[in-house]
Amino acid sequence: QVQLVESGGGLVQAGESLRLSCAASGRTFSNYVMGWFRQAPGQEREFVAAISWSGATSYYADSVKGRFTISRDNAKNTMFLQMDSLSPEDTAVYYCAAGDRLNFWMRGRSDYERYEKYDYWGQGTQVTVSS
């Protein structure tokens, strides 16, 4: 059983930065693809970013490319999302997710952006960006 806990959310002004963390339990962290999703009130859950099991490849939603950076530290069982140049459009609950690496066989972003590919989810952390 993999348990995920997000932290680092908060209230910031437009143009500022936040760094989200996702701590995972267990000793098999490197076996999982890790991703970030977000959901704003009244909207669908939205893919934000994902990183391969080895950390060699990252994928981003078009809306966050150039502003967000995903990373992972397998030795510490932790994933990060560095969020720069935040805007009110980024306001949402952010969730970290983990999926078995064998679920991701397509080249490119198509598998990584599908929430149903992920097996474990954190409870979310609120990010609010004021104008």
Side-chain angles (χ1 to χ4, degrees):
Q1 179 70 33
V2 176
Q3 293 181 323
L4 306 173
V5 180
E6 304 96 335
S7 62
L11 174 64
V12 297
Q13 295 183 355
E16 296 183 343
S17 299
L18 281 174
R19 191 191 193 204
L20 306 183
S21 299
C22 176
S25 66
R27 299 181 179 180
T28 58
F29 182 71
S30 62
N31 291 336
Y32 294 92
V33 168
M34 300 295 297
W36 289 97
F37 291 76
R38 67 187 182 186
Q39 187 168 20
Q43 299 186 14
E44 299 289 329
R45 180 166 33 181
E46 178 187 23
F47 169 76
V48 177
I51 188 167
S52 64
W53 67 272
S54 66
T57 308
S58 300
Y59 302 95
Y60 298 93
D62 292 341
S63 60
V64 306
K65 284 182 179 178
R67 299 188 299 117
F68 291 7
T69 303
I70 190 171
S71 62
R72 65 190 296 165
D73 187 340
N74 287 346
K76 297 181 178 179
N77 289 355
T78 306
M79 177 182 63
F80 306 96
L81 184 68
Q82 178 67 43
M83 309 165 66
D84 297 326
S85 301
L86 286 164
S87 72
E89 296 175 334
D90 298 313
T91 296
V93 177
Y94 283 71
Y95 300 90
C96 65
D100 192 286
R101 56 185 286 195
L102 297 178
N103 294 336
F104 301 83
W105 55 272
M106 293 290 293
R107 297 184 182 274
R109 198 179 70 185
S110 60
D111 276 356
Y112 296 87
E113 66 185 6
R114 296 175 60 186
Y115 68 86
E116 63 267 27
K117 290 286 187 176
Y118 296 84
D119 303 302
Y120 305 99
W121 294 84
Q123 293 183 317
T125 184
Q126 177 71 48
V127 172
T128 302
V129 184
S130 62
S131 60

